Amino acid sequence: MIGANKYDVQVIEMGTVPTGVRGLDVLMDGGFPQGSTIMVEGAPGTGKTTLGMQFLVHGAMKDGEAGIYVTFEEFPDQLYSDMLAFGWDLRKLEAEGALRVISMSPDIFIEQIVEPGGLVEKLIRQIDCKRIVIDSISLFRYGAAGEEEHRRMLYRLRNILRRLGLTSILIKERGTMREESGFEAYISDGFIQLQLKQQMEKYRVRTLEILKMRGRRIREGEHVYRLTDNGIRLIPARSMVEDLALLNGQEKVPTGVAMLDELLEGGLAQGSVYLLDTNSKANYKYLIASVLANRLRAGDKVLALLSSFLTPQDLHKMLALQGLSMGELAKEERIFFIEHYTRPYPKDCESSVINVNGLSNEKYREVVQEKIGALVEGSGNWFIYYDLNTVIAERGKDFATKHFAEDSAGVKALCMTMMVLCNFSEIGPEVSAFLERTCNGVIRTWVDGAYQYMQVTKSPNGIISEPYVVETTTQAPFMKLI
Ligand SMILES: Nc1ncnc2c1ncn2[C@@H]1O[C@H](COP(=O)(O)OP(=O)(O)O)[C@@H](O)[C@H]1O
Ligand SMILES: [Mg+2]
């Protein structure tokens, strides 16, 4: 065993097969996993056939991957003319050996595909087929003796497609029974649902949702798509946020929590405002300490309005554990505090504390604005940590929200990065919605039962993550997302 290492793991390169549907691939890290079986479900007219054909045509024309389209329609002539409307000349592709459209009964198809060396396998060999679309598997149901047999057949089909190395789309007509999707979702590697939805009474909107995609991080939620003259075009949800264009070339501010930075594609965007929505039980101090330590280490300056949960002593200790001296930083005028509770600060930090206890709201605002103004005149980047809960508790909800939009606009304009702590459940849905709109990103953390969770629910790059479990660790940053 030369150089064998017990930690060596065999990395199996899993290829990616682009779908050819603009906007869809970005929802799943570039496309379908190679060789996977994907179920596409939807009611009649949602665009399943179009999606399947677009996948094959793109493979044939752009990726050099030949494909087979299996239809159970007796006369597929209509299909050829329908697809021509999207600019896809199926006959031409067939003549080039890049595509086959096969029309046969479901029974015969199954009979042929299960047979090694049968008609279907021959066709696959003939054109070196890499992709297949079966339109639709719902028709197998009628051939099967019962539910048991239907399932066995689907399972067998899935295994054969895998063995043949085909990246497959199995189209499924949306049934009336909701629960009947269970088995299909279970046996397939991916499950995509197409829907036609009523919107604002008189409009209808088509939405696509990826419910499952093995080995891929997916962008969750319903994404709107349109049928255009070039086929299906999908608009990833939240890509309307104005920041996308601005984000190009924008610096990222890492939080120091590895998984969170990955979700945020490098970290918090410089010049942006993020909300940290937390319920009272959730422990957020490690995240805050980690963000602050990272900024300070990178040479930034910090202005912090600490919550009652995160005491100056806590922060002092946590920064020390990260090798930073709060006293030194205060002396270098790189860290400042806005203090509402007249809490004691470590001796060497006292010069950095702006005590606002007992100040009227007007006076408070004046002092803070003046301080921020003075800070900006200096050099370097600023990071602001602002506990909105404290401001709400001490100065009232009206005051806190009234100035919020203006303040965050100012912060953005000055290219400062700000993290705002608040508790959506305490401030109510209206104010929460307002704050959410005003901010560039929202990170949520909450406790449910024995676990704490964290999720990115809004970010300038449009990414919405699934909820992660927060685990505390003994080393900086003292937390981890699982
Ligand atoms: N160029 C086009 N622009 C807009 N809609 C189109 C265009 N071509 C076809 N359609 C619509 O696309 C739908 C066809 O979708 P199709 O893929 O056949 O759905 P399914 O297979 O789910 O029944 C129809 O509702 C049709 O009206
Ligand atoms: Mg169809």
Side-chain angles (χ1 to χ4, degrees):
M1 296 233 292
I2 307 157
N5 175 335
K6 68 176 172 163
Y7 298 110
D8 270 352
V9 282
Q10 196 189 349
V11 179
I12 300 164
E13 259 315 303
M14 189 170 52
T16 296
V17 181
T19 61
V21 175
R22 252 180 91 179
L24 178 58
D25 294 338
V26 302
L27 303 182
M28 48 181 175
D29 288 345
F32 296 146
Q34 193 163 32
S36 60
T37 307
I38 312 298
M39 199 74 66
V40 173
E41 184 200 65
T46 47
K48 301 180 296 300
T49 297
T50 311
L51 176 68
M53 211 39 119
Q54 192 162 346
F55 169 69
L56 294 181
V57 169
H58 187 86
M61 294 177 50
K62 298 276 160 54
D63 293 326
E65 292 198 343
I68 292 180
Y69 180 85
V70 182
T71 171
F72 301 131
E73 301 270 337
E74 249 178 283
F75 305 103
D77 295 18
Q78 183 73 42
L79 181 73
Y80 287 89
S81 56
D82 285 353
M83 295 303 126
L84 211 48
F86 295 119
W88 306 331
D89 189 343
L90 306 186
R91 290 194 203 283
K92 182 161 167 275
L93 291 172
E94 285 191 290
E96 290 165 358
L99 180 79
R100 285 280 178 277
V101 175
I102 61 179
S103 155
M104 53 172 73
S105 81
D107 303 355
I108 296 176
F109 173 74
I110 288 292
E111 216 177 278
Q112 289 299 325
I113 197 166
V114 299
E115 193 177 307
L119 180 65
V120 178
E121 208 173 315
K122 273 200 193 106
L123 266 177
I124 289 168
R125 294 265 147 74
Q126 225 176 56
I127 61 167
D128 187 24
C129 175
K130 297 280 191 272
R131 303 181 179 201
I132 192 167
V133 174
I134 301 176
D135 194 357
S136 73
I137 60 158
S138 305
L139 289 174
F140 293 149
R141 191 172 287 272
Y142 304 107
E147 188 61 17
E148 255 320 288
E149 196 198 317
H150 174 67
R151 291 185 172 193
R152 233 194 319 266
M153 195 169 65
L154 278 181
Y155 189 64
R156 201 163 165 199
L157 175 65
R158 197 274 319 258
N159 289 342
I160 292 168
L161 295 172
R162 256 190 208 171
R163 187 169 47 73
L164 293 169
L166 301 175
T167 309
S168 320
I169 291 182
L170 306 186
I171 290 174
K172 181 177 181 295
E173 293 298 333
R174 165 76 170 276
T176 43
M177 290 194 302
R178 291 300 295 125
E179 70 276 15
E180 74 177 18
S181 294
F183 181 71
E184 281 95 339
Y186 170 70
I187 62 155
S188 54
D189 303 302
F191 197 94
I192 294 177
Q193 202 168 52
L194 304 182
Q195 280 183 281
L196 198 57
K197 288 195 154 175
Q198 197 79 23
Q199 194 186 41
M200 297 192 291
E201 287 176 23
K202 58 181 183 211
Y203 302 103
R204 308 202 96 199
V205 59
R206 296 175 195 271
T207 64
L208 178 151
E209 185 170 14
I210 303 178
L211 296 171
K212 169 180 175 181
M213 195 58 61
R214 181 175 52 85
R216 292 295 145 100
R217 191 184 306 147
I218 50 181
R219 276 214 218 172
E220 290 183 2
E222 293 175 357
H223 305 273
V224 169
Y225 66 92
R226 316 267 329 245
L227 281 143
T228 72
D229 289 347
N230 311 307
I232 294 182
R233 162 108 198 254
L234 181 139
I235 306 98
R238 309 263 171 161
S239 59
M240 280 298 288
V241 282
E242 76 286 5
D243 316 56
L244 271 187
L246 293 177
L247 211 61
N248 286 333
Q250 200 170 18
E251 293 280 329
K252 288 291 176 71
V253 175
T255 64
V257 177
M259 179 58 88
L260 186 60
D261 286 333
E262 208 177 297
L263 295 175
L264 296 167
E265 293 187 328
L268 310 171
Q270 183 98 49
S272 302
V273 177
Y274 288 79
L275 276 182
L276 179 62
D277 168 33
T278 148
N279 70 14
S280 54
K281 284 190 219 140
N283 182 343
Y284 53 84
K285 60 184 171 192
Y286 297 121
L287 176 62
I288 300 302
S290 177
V291 175
L292 297 184
N294 261 279
R295 293 335 304 151
L296 291 163
R297 256 199 301 271
D300 284 10
K301 298 171 188 178
V302 162
L303 174 66
L305 192 154
L306 299 181
S307 64
S308 49
F309 181 70
L310 179 62
T311 67
Q313 277 74 18
D314 282 342
L315 187 62
H316 187 270
K317 214 182 312 171
M318 281 189 283
L319 290 179
L321 286 169
Q322 303 228 21
L324 291 165
S325 156
M326 208 158 98
E328 283 294 314
L329 292 162
K331 213 155 63 191
E332 292 167 13
E333 305 202 324
R334 287 182 51 207
I335 191 162
F336 293 90
F337 303 94
I338 298 172
E339 178 59 37
H340 270 94
Y341 302 115
T342 336
R343 290 176 290 193
Y345 277 71
K347 248 252 114 27
D348 47 3
C349 301
E350 279 170 3
S351 60
S352 286
V353 182
I354 305 157
N355 196 340
V356 296
N357 193 2
L359 294 187
S360 71
N361 284 352
E362 292 70 35
K363 188 72 192 155
Y364 165 76
R365 197 163 158 70
E366 227 177 273
V367 167
V368 172
Q369 280 189 328
E370 197 180 312
K371 187 71 207 170
I372 292 179
L375 295 178
V376 192
E377 278 173 27
S379 58
N381 287 326
W382 278 93
F383 186 89
I384 301 177
Y385 168 59
Y386 196 75
D387 174 21
L388 199 65
N389 288 342
T390 297
V391 181
I392 290 172
E394 297 301 312
R395 314 214 158 263
K397 190 148 92 174
D398 287 348
F399 174 83
T401 51
K402 195 170 136 200
H403 301 292
F404 189 76
E406 188 190 329
D407 289 347
S408 43
V411 164
K412 287 182 212 174
L414 295 167
C415 213
M416 294 173 158
T417 312
M418 178 155 87
M419 183 163 261
V420 179
L421 184 81
C422 69
N423 185 333
F424 280 3
S425 59
E426 264 175 29
I427 58 179
E430 262 171 59
V431 179
S432 303
F434 159 74
L435 293 178
E436 198 160 0
R437 274 199 309 278
T438 311
C439 287
N440 305 90
V442 178
I443 300 166
R444 291 213 154 101
T445 184
W446 68 96
V447 172
D448 188 9
Y451 293 93
Q452 181 170 336
Y453 297 86
M454 189 171 283
Q455 180 178 22
V456 176
T457 59
K458 177 180 177 178
S459 62
N461 55 18
I463 289 175
I464 302 168
S465 80
E466 55 183 328
Y468 284 76
V469 175
V470 180
E471 187 187 47
T472 49
T473 62
T474 53
Q475 281 177 344
F478 311 107
M479 62 172 284
K480 208 169 161 179
L481 303 190
I482 314 265

